[in-house]
Amino acid sequence: KRNPPVKELDLSGNDAKLDGWRVFINSFVSNPTKTPLDLHLRDCGIRGELYRDLARLVQLPTCSLEKLFLKGNARLNSGRMNQIVDSLKFNATLREMSLPGVVTVGGWNRLLSLICDETDICTTYSSNHSLLHFHSPTVPREIIPYLEMNKIQ
């Protein structure tokens, strides 16, 4: 008998330290179909290379994650933001995400190019149209219409 998938896993406020989080995240990387639909990792001490591990998870085509909440963790520098954005390029399940701290203008520009790359018609068509919500203290107004368009599709 198969166990039903975990719908929501809230580990907010837990600081499992670097090795603990790495084992936790990589357990889902090695078995992405067991990923919960909603993963709450607010205020968990996630930083640096753990963002790379999360990026590896969400880029897997079999990852079922729909919501990822990272508020209260270390700020994403431009390199880590690029890893997250690149990992979401072909992700078709993630609908909602909270970002840790204030996102830089460059970070928002990368996210905007992910949601609607207007380079040409082919890249616009192949942009990520599954993302519907970003939670951050500084969501630029320019991004909101693109997120609204994703809701229509």
Side-chain angles (χ1 to χ4, degrees):
K1 185 176 180 183
R2 285 185 81 186
N3 291 330
V6 174
K7 180 167 172 52
E8 182 176 2
L9 183 57
D10 190 343
L11 297 173
S12 298
N14 289 293
D15 187 359
K17 307 292 183 229
L18 178 65
D19 290 337
W21 284 123
R22 172 155 286 138
V23 168
F24 174 77
I25 294 167
N26 286 321
S27 71
F28 293 126
V29 169
S30 63
N31 197 352
T33 59
K34 299 294 184 190
T35 307
L37 299 179
D38 300 356
L39 183 56
H40 300 263
L41 298 175
R42 293 183 196 99
D43 301 308
C44 288
I46 292 181
R47 63 193 174 284
E49 56 198 65
L50 292 173
Y51 286 121
R52 181 195 63 213
D53 295 338
L54 282 169
R56 283 187 20 224
L57 173 61
V58 298
Q59 77 182 6
L60 294 170
T62 53
C63 178
S64 57
L65 197 60
E66 293 179 3
K67 297 179 183 181
L68 178 60
F69 300 98
L70 298 170
K71 184 179 177 183
N73 291 294
R75 182 178 178 187
L76 287 165
N77 64 26
S78 60
R80 299 296 181 209
M81 178 60 102
N82 288 341
Q83 285 177 326
I84 295 289
V85 170
D86 289 344
S87 72
L88 293 171
K89 195 172 253 176
F90 301 105
N91 179 292
T93 61
L94 195 67
R95 306 277 183 256
E96 188 173 345
M97 184 174 185
S98 76
L99 298 169
V102 176
V103 177
T104 65
V105 171
W108 283 120
N109 288 338
R110 282 284 282 142
L111 283 166
L112 182 57
S113 71
L114 168 76
I115 297 166
C116 188
D117 186 342
E118 296 177 331
T119 306
D120 60 53
I121 191 71
C122 291
T123 55
T124 301
Y125 179 76
S126 65
S127 296
N128 182 311
H129 298 293
S130 60
L131 288 165
L132 304 176
H133 300 285
F134 280 111
H135 303 279
S136 175
T138 59
V139 177
R141 277 186 254 151
E142 298 84 18
I143 288 183
I144 294 170
Y146 294 103
L147 294 172
E148 293 296 322
M149 281 192 292
N150 284 352
K151 290 179 186 176
I152 298 169
Q153 298 196 26

